[in-house]
Amino acid sequence: MINAIFRNSLIGIVASLPVVLNAQTEINPYLYAPQKKIECKRGAVVSANALASMVGVEMLKKGGNAVDAAIATQLALAVVYPGAGNIGGGGFMVAHLSNGKNITIDFREKAPEKASRNMYLDANGNAQTDLSQNGHLSSGVPGTIAGVFAELKYARLPFKKLIQPAIDLAEKGFAITRAEARDLTAEQVIFKKYNTVMPVFIKEIAWKTGDTLIQKELAKTLKLIRDYGAKGFYEGETAQLIVDEMKRGNGIMTLEDLKNYTAKEREAVEFSYKNDYTVVTMPLPASGGVLLPQMMRMVEDQPLKTYGFETLKSVHLMVEVERLAYADRAKYLGDKDYFKVPGKFLSSYPYVMERMKLYDPNKAGDSKDIQAGNVAPESEETTHFCAYDKDGNAVSITTTLNGGYGSHTIVAGAGFILNNEMDDFSIKPGVPNMYGAVGGEANAIAPGKRMLSSMTPTIVLQNNKPILVVGTPGGTTITTSVFQTLIDILEFGMSAEDAVNKPKFHHQWLPDMIFVEKDFPMDVRDQLIQMGYKIYQRESIGRTEVIQISADGKIIAVGDKRGDDAAEGY
Ligand code: GLY
């Protein structure tokens, strides 16, 4: 049963012939209509683009599981959502398998071997954020393709089947959405600035809704990956094209950096919430692996349900909890393979209870008074998608190029955008990155190290069965958005649709202000200002995707209203 609740207007040119994506699917990439919510019984995928969600569901229909669906969606996003979907970036997967096992895969980018602590400082020690945020030098060694092959271990279908829709979409093209046309047009100058060979994204006249985007070079790269596996990316022609691109733009990535990249399976972070739920999320270098349990534990005993959704009391409490967590993020969090991060301690009950003594229910906090806690020695653009299948496998993946269109450098001849993830390191203590986050020693640059991330792909279990699959892009707002989405559903009893679409807010210690979306309730905003908070209204916060599974097996998938996000299922 498929009950399409809401379908957006068609994208594409109505007159175009319904060309099928490949012989076995009915997806028309020139004429399609994203839907925001679906209720179904057998399986669902929700992602930032309708075509990618449809491709994922096709894999479920062909007998694949949620991991197959996720891989096909991930590869399709690299084609149809070039601003954040990628093969030149990295990400994290959290999965709950039907055999009860929770797994995570870390395919975060890492610093090239020639990277060094002060590589973005000029002769006077000033941070040059243009270099960490744009162009060749801003790229970490990509992890996405290594991640895909690590995921494949849990899939059922042959890889060739999973990658073919992405190849077809790249080779034959697809109609771009209004948002994609707007974004590609807005980025023309910057694309020209950071490329020596002009990519397909450059167009002399403005991109329009329904224009066909064909990416022949990307199709060729995907075919090399189809035919040679991860080596089709990390070695041979593609690797050489990356290194040639580096040489044209003073980048430092080498053939060895590429050949030596490996994805890592890591032990999932699992914690209980109110004895009712088990939350499964990504460990470091995903900061959510520490911050989400911290924040959830800080509010666990608080009367949030009584306070209600986005009232003065609930926002004040949640903002103060976010402030405390992000103060610790700045000081303690980084790649634990390189820096001794006291992660378990930071999310332990005694520690969070101690920290909550700094929370005054009647007074706005001040980040000048809140520093990272004392610990005992102890060992905007990103994209999220979720998949769930009839056997109970649940997959939550967030991937990233970092900023929209990453470094803006496209590997000539290979057709994909490189990330600008090096900016997620702390390039100088106290200097904010592009998301305004500060850091220090824990997240300093070192060769081979993974930069700290905010990505928080998460699954909530009840009686060891998935009930929520959640995640979002949004830089440093990712972890707070996941936190709020969980609280909205688990505490305020909201529907998945409301939890995704209602206004969000965010505090990250520094800068000391509450960021709110424009539809955040005006009366609460005024009361917060009276209490002493600074409020900053910003563009949308995140693009949250949720799949909710009810006790009777109904699957509800919701894509965020803030973007082209779309839910598909059957
Ligand atoms: N580049 C966004 C993140 O990983 O947090």
Side-chain angles (χ1 to χ4, degrees):
M1 176 191 67
I2 294 180
N3 175 17
I5 307 268
F6 177 67
R7 206 166 255 277
N8 273 3
S9 56
L10 287 175
I11 290 159
I13 305 154
V14 180
S16 43
L17 291 172
V19 180
V20 291
L21 191 58
N22 69 42
Q24 279 129 47
T25 72
E26 293 161 13
I27 301 168
N28 180 348
Y30 311 113
L31 190 65
Y32 56 97
Q35 65 190 344
K36 289 294 176 192
K37 180 178 172 188
I38 189 161
E39 293 185 12
C40 53
K41 275 285 186 191
R42 284 180 286 181
V45 175
V46 57
S47 80
N49 182 281
L51 291 170
S53 299
M54 290 177 197
V55 161
V57 170
E58 279 303 313
M59 297 304 144
L60 294 177
K61 289 181 181 168
K62 284 179 183 162
N65 62 19
V67 182
D68 291 290
I71 293 173
T73 301
Q74 185 172 354
L75 291 165
L77 282 169
V79 180
V80 297
Y81 186 37
N86 68 81
I87 59 172
F92 301 123
M93 172 173 101
V94 173
H96 174 83
L97 303 179
S98 56
N99 64 10
K101 217 174 147 202
N102 298 319
I103 52 164
T104 81
I105 297 173
D106 165 358
F107 50 99
R108 182 69 164 161
E109 302 93 322
K110 56 185 209 171
E113 283 303 313
K114 286 189 185 149
S116 57
R117 187 186 188 89
N118 296 331
M119 63 187 277
Y120 298 113
L121 304 188
D122 67 13
N124 298 318
N126 297 317
Q128 298 175 283
T129 49
D130 182 42
L131 291 180
S132 67
Q133 292 177 8
N134 293 298
H136 302 67
L137 201 56
S138 66
S139 295
V141 184
T144 295
I145 292 302
V148 162
F149 284 96
E151 292 161 19
L152 197 60
K153 189 170 141 195
Y154 300 99
R156 274 188 206 140
L157 298 176
F159 183 66
K160 282 183 172 34
K161 268 208 168 103
L162 304 179
I163 197 170
Q164 196 56 41
I167 294 172
D168 291 341
L169 285 163
E171 197 155 50
K172 299 175 191 162
F174 63 97
I176 61 170
T177 64
R178 182 198 300 260
E180 193 63 60
R182 180 200 60 211
D183 293 348
L184 283 175
T185 301
E187 303 284 337
Q188 293 295 300
V189 173
I190 189 161
F191 277 135
K192 285 180 188 157
K193 184 167 174 195
Y194 294 107
N195 287 283
T196 50
V197 179
M198 293 304 113
V200 288
F201 304 120
I202 291 184
K203 195 164 179 278
E204 285 319 315
I205 52 168
W207 287 94
K208 299 187 306 299
T209 312
D211 277 353
T212 301
L213 177 61
I214 294 174
Q215 300 169 83
K216 295 267 187 218
E217 290 181 347
L218 178 57
K220 188 193 70 179
T221 303
L222 293 169
K223 284 181 192 168
L224 287 171
I225 296 166
R226 177 193 64 193
D227 297 341
Y228 300 103
K231 285 188 178 174
F233 183 87
Y234 291 102
E235 296 180 43
E237 184 179 338
T238 311
Q240 190 57 54
L241 286 168
I242 296 172
V243 171
D244 292 347
E245 185 60 58
M246 287 290 128
K247 286 187 183 141
R248 282 194 294 274
N250 298 321
I252 54 174
M253 210 184 300
T254 63
L255 289 174
E256 284 67 41
D257 285 326
L258 291 160
K259 196 172 170 187
N260 292 336
Y261 184 89
T262 50
K264 295 190 179 184
E265 261 197 47
R266 298 189 187 273
E267 197 182 324
V269 169
E270 299 178 17
F271 62 95
S272 62
Y273 182 70
K274 294 197 160 172
N275 293 327
D276 291 331
Y277 309 106
T278 303
V279 182
V280 184
T281 195
M282 188 72 207
L284 287 166
S287 51
V290 175
L291 302 191
L292 193 61
Q294 266 196 332
M295 294 189 291
M296 297 290 285
R297 284 179 170 167
M298 285 182 197
V299 299
E300 200 168 358
D301 288 336
Q302 298 286 334
L304 263 175
K305 200 174 277 187
T306 315
Y307 290 169
F309 171 69
E310 283 183 3
T311 58
L312 178 66
K313 283 186 169 169
S314 68
V315 175
H316 169 57
L317 167 63
M318 290 167 79
V319 157
E320 291 307 324
V321 158
E322 292 174 8
R323 184 200 308 274
L324 289 166
Y326 275 68
D328 281 346
R329 181 191 197 275
K331 181 160 180 188
Y332 294 118
L333 302 196
D335 182 348
K336 63 180 185 226
D337 294 345
Y338 282 72
F339 186 86
K340 219 167 178 186
V341 180
K344 283 207 171 76
F345 180 84
L346 290 172
S347 48
S348 66
Y349 280 110
Y351 178 77
V352 299
M353 292 301 119
E354 191 59 34
R355 292 289 276 166
M356 279 304 274
K357 289 184 183 159
L358 295 166
Y359 161 68
D360 181 339
N362 300 310
K363 194 166 159 249
D366 185 334
S367 293
K368 285 201 289 301
D369 304 333
I370 303 283
Q371 300 303 320
N374 294 320
V375 302
E378 187 229 0
S379 72
E380 212 146 278
E381 195 74 14
T382 298
T383 189
H384 184 83
F385 47 100
C386 312
Y388 182 77
D389 67 33
K390 60 180 172 21
D391 298 327
N393 296 295
V395 178
S396 184
I397 297 184
T398 316
T399 74
T400 184
L401 286 169
N402 198 17
Y405 304 98
S407 66
H408 290 88
T409 296
I410 290 94
V411 178
F416 63 88
I417 302 180
L418 285 167
N419 67 82
N420 58 344
E421 220 72 60
M422 291 296 283
D423 192 59
D424 267 349
F425 278 118
S426 170
I427 65 167
K428 183 180 177 182
V431 171
N433 71 4
M434 65 194 294
Y435 298 107
V438 290
E441 184 60 33
N443 192 29
I445 303 172
K449 187 174 175 182
R450 282 153 147 93
M451 54 295 282
L452 183 63
S453 171
S454 297
M455 294 186 286
T456 310
T458 296
I459 295 171
V460 180
L461 310 174
Q462 196 168 25
N463 302 323
N464 209 28
K465 298 265 181 274
I467 57 162
L468 289 173
V469 191
V470 184
T472 181
T476 44
T477 67
I478 291 173
T479 322
T480 50
S481 290
V482 170
F483 168 56
Q484 285 165 37
T485 305
L486 296 190
I487 294 297
D488 289 350
I489 296 173
L490 303 180
E491 288 289 348
F492 302 136
M494 263 186 190
S495 67
E497 195 175 10
D498 279 350
V500 165
N501 291 322
K502 292 269 186 192
K504 296 215 161 45
F505 57 91
H506 169 74
H507 198 294
Q508 59 178 47
W509 180 55
L510 292 178
D512 188 355
M513 55 179 63
I514 307 176
F515 297 90
V516 297
E517 292 188 299
K518 67 175 183 319
D519 46 353
F520 185 87
M522 201 50 91
D523 55 332
V524 181
R525 191 189 304 211
D526 290 344
Q527 289 164 357
L528 288 164
I529 292 169
Q530 271 174 14
M531 227 179 149
Y533 284 107
K534 287 193 206 71
I535 308 281
Y536 180 83
Q537 183 182 308
R538 52 160 279 170
E539 293 298 304
S540 57
I541 296 180
R543 286 167 64 172
T544 305
E545 322 288 18
V546 170
I547 296 180
Q548 184 171 35
I549 305 101
S550 64
D552 63 357
K554 186 167 77 181
I555 303 165
I556 301 172
V558 181
D560 200 312
K561 70 171 185 186
R562 295 165 181 83
D564 292 332
D565 310 52
E568 291 288 333
Y570 74 120

